[in-house]
Amino acid sequence: MDNSHALQELWKPTCFTDELSNICKPETRFNLGTWITDWTTRTRDQTNKLLKNSFKLSIMKHKGHISLLRPTTTKHDVPVLFQEPHVETGFRHPHQPWFYYICSIFQKHNECMNVWTHLIGLLLTVSRTIEFSNEYDLIGNPHMWPLSAGLITMILMYLCSTCAHCFSHKSELVHYTGFMIDYAGIGIFGLGSTIIHYAYCIHDTMLNSSLKMLSVPIGVILGALVCICCTVSKVFYKRPYPFTRKIWQIGSVGGIYTWLSLPILHRLFLDKDGEDVSLYHHTSQMIWFALAGFFFGSDIPQRFFPGKFDFVGHSHQIFHICIILVTQKQLDGVHLDIEKYHRTPAFVDEPSFMETFGAVISLTIVCFLNVFIFHNVVKYRLGKENVKQE
Ligand SMILES: [Zn+2]
């Protein structure tokens, strides 16, 4: 409703018949009493109209604020890309302001727990980093650079995952780009774990091996492959996803995980009498990782009870919790290994910048380029699809 129109109506003069006889009816002769009554009635009506419009406007503004936490919707109201198998409800509305998705962290929806679980993982890692920094000189001592680089990659992984899930329903382009960043985070964390394990968790007999020498360059290549392969699996496959898509993901993640686990597996093989205490934590980490893989790929429990685990208990949330336990147990094991590291032959050689921070920076650049290229591929493709639909 237009307020300026209502104001014009209010101040419109009443009809003076002698001057405007061509538009007024002949019987409406000027009479002061009638004019005043008419004017009063007009004024009252127009004022009411104005007040009504102002009230409507203020309600609309108020509703604008409320819409930041508007109720979620069902899978039928969102693009197919956002729909998850066996999830029926709790979808946030697409094409809302960025602030809507940030506020939605405090709302009940089907990505809410995914955001919170990795936000908690992020806070736990920051807390562990502070604990380590109280104990060791993480920047000044080059022997601690592998740990610092590894902790940075862990923080990056949680940050990328939290952002991807937080903004996943904004638009199709943001959804694709967000998960490309999430995969970049996984690849970079894979490299971080490789750096940590080959620096502190390696058995003395493996110190001069070619595996140790090639650990970081191969870690960079495998980390880049995680980012590229998972992005390909996201961009070039459409729902319902075929099993081949899982091979792209499991193959690349499995590749770097096997590589970063070799020093631990070697020690497990050598430790016949179970005296190595830190191996207890490393083994737990591996069990949690296997469970994470199981829940990631199985769609259990929601596949048996569709729509019942939309908010809490979905397999992806369990997968996130398993990943938190993987990182916590990994840090417990690494902490014990660092205690021993100062007394081992490995302590003689100082890790270089390129073997630690330099490698992480290099892989981050590669991942950034991957995201940049595929972001533009998706943007171009979505643009073409929109033109076709129009
Ligand atoms: Zn996730």
Side-chain angles (χ1 to χ4, degrees), residues 70-73 77-78 82 91-96 100-101 169-170:
R70 64 197 275 202
T72 53
T73 186
D77 293 332
V78 296
F82 299 174
F91 291 88
R92 289 166 295 167
H93 298 264
H95 309 298
Q96 300 297 308
Y100 163 78
Y101 300 96
H169 290 164
K170 168 127 180 78

Side-chain angles (χ1 to χ4, degrees), residues 114 118 161 165 179 182 316 319-320:
N114 286 332
H118 270 186
S161 170
H165 286 290
F179 283 104
D182 190 14
H316 199 85
F319 159 72
H320 274 201

Side-chain angles (χ1 to χ4, degrees), residues 281-389:
H281 297 293
H282 290 301
T283 312
S284 306
Q285 173 262 104
M286 286 174 166
I287 292 167
W288 284 117
F289 186 83
L291 276 171
F294 170 76
F295 282 106
F296 180 80
S298 65
D299 285 347
I300 290 174
Q302 69 272 13
R303 69 158 58 223
F304 299 119
F305 307 96
K308 298 283 181 232
F309 296 95
D310 294 356
F311 298 110
V312 181
H314 186 275
S315 64
H316 199 85
Q317 298 161 13
I318 304 173
F319 159 72
H320 274 201
I321 293 166
C322 290
I323 294 296
I324 295 175
L325 291 160
V326 167
T327 53
Q328 289 300 304
K329 292 317 289 176
Q330 181 188 24
L331 290 178
D332 287 341
V334 168
H335 194 184
L336 287 177
D337 287 337
I338 290 176
E339 292 292 302
K340 280 192 295 179
Y341 165 75
H342 293 95
R343 302 187 293 273
T344 63
F347 190 64
V348 179
D349 296 323
E350 271 189 5
S352 70
F353 180 82
M354 274 319 289
E355 285 169 338
T356 52
F357 300 115
V360 173
I361 293 168
S362 309
L363 179 58
T364 307
I365 293 168
V366 174
C367 291
F368 177 80
L369 286 173
N370 176 71
V371 173
F372 179 77
I373 292 165
F374 280 98
H375 167 86
N376 283 298
V377 168
V378 170
K379 198 176 175 183
Y380 175 74
R381 196 178 71 190
L382 291 173
K384 260 175 67 177
E385 284 172 7
N386 285 342
V387 169
K388 259 189 204 168
Q389 280 171 6

Side-chain angles (χ1 to χ4, degrees), residues 1-206:
M1 196 71 72
D2 185 4
N3 274 350
S4 61
H5 177 71
L7 268 171
Q8 279 171 11
E9 284 286 309
L10 176 63
W11 296 110
K12 197 167 144 187
T14 42
C15 192
F16 287 85
T17 50
D18 289 341
E19 294 163 15
L20 302 164
S21 54
N22 54 334
I23 53 168
C24 292
K25 288 179 185 169
E27 63 269 21
T28 52
R29 299 272 161 206
F30 178 69
N31 177 306
L32 186 63
T34 315
W35 185 84
I36 291 172
T37 315
D38 186 32
W39 185 84
T40 314
T41 314
R42 234 176 223 279
T43 309
R44 192 193 59 212
D45 289 350
Q46 296 303 327
T47 310
N48 282 346
K49 220 185 221 177
L50 269 171
L51 285 172
K52 227 172 164 181
N53 288 348
S54 308
F55 183 67
K56 269 186 187 168
L57 271 174
S58 71
I59 289 280
M60 276 160 75
K61 278 182 189 165
H62 190 51
K63 274 185 178 167
H65 285 292
I66 287 172
S67 76
L68 288 174
L69 287 174
R70 64 197 275 202
T72 53
T73 186
T74 64
K75 66 176 183 181
H76 305 293
D77 293 332
V78 296
V80 179
L81 178 70
F82 299 174
Q83 296 171 13
E84 290 289 332
H86 321 296
V87 174
E88 307 291 324
T89 56
F91 291 88
R92 289 166 295 167
H93 298 264
H95 309 298
Q96 300 297 308
W98 290 96
F99 194 54
Y100 163 78
Y101 300 96
I102 296 171
C103 287
S104 74
I105 295 174
F106 304 102
Q107 192 188 10
K108 188 183 166 192
H109 59 80
N110 61 28
E111 285 283 12
C112 171
M113 291 304 285
N114 286 332
V115 174
W116 274 106
T117 43
H118 270 186
L119 199 57
I120 289 167
L122 174 69
L123 295 174
L124 285 172
T125 310
V126 170
S127 152
R128 293 295 291 263
T129 306
I130 294 167
E131 279 173 28
F132 277 119
S133 70
N134 290 334
E135 204 171 338
Y136 309 110
D137 182 0
L138 293 180
I139 301 297
N141 181 2
H143 284 287
M144 288 299 118
W145 287 356
L147 177 64
S148 310
L151 287 167
I152 288 170
T153 62
M154 205 181 272
I155 289 170
L156 274 176
M157 187 260 295
Y158 280 124
L159 199 60
C160 293
S161 170
T162 304
C163 289
H165 286 290
C166 183
F167 299 109
S168 63
H169 290 164
K170 168 127 180 78
S171 70
E172 287 175 292
L173 183 62
V174 172
H175 179 96
Y176 277 118
T177 314
F179 283 104
M180 286 176 209
I181 294 170
D182 190 14
Y183 304 141
I186 296 167
I188 294 169
F189 172 59
L191 171 66
S193 298
T194 304
I195 295 171
I196 288 182
H197 287 182
Y198 281 85
Y200 307 120
C201 312
I202 198 164
H203 195 269
D204 295 347
T205 54
M206 216 173 151

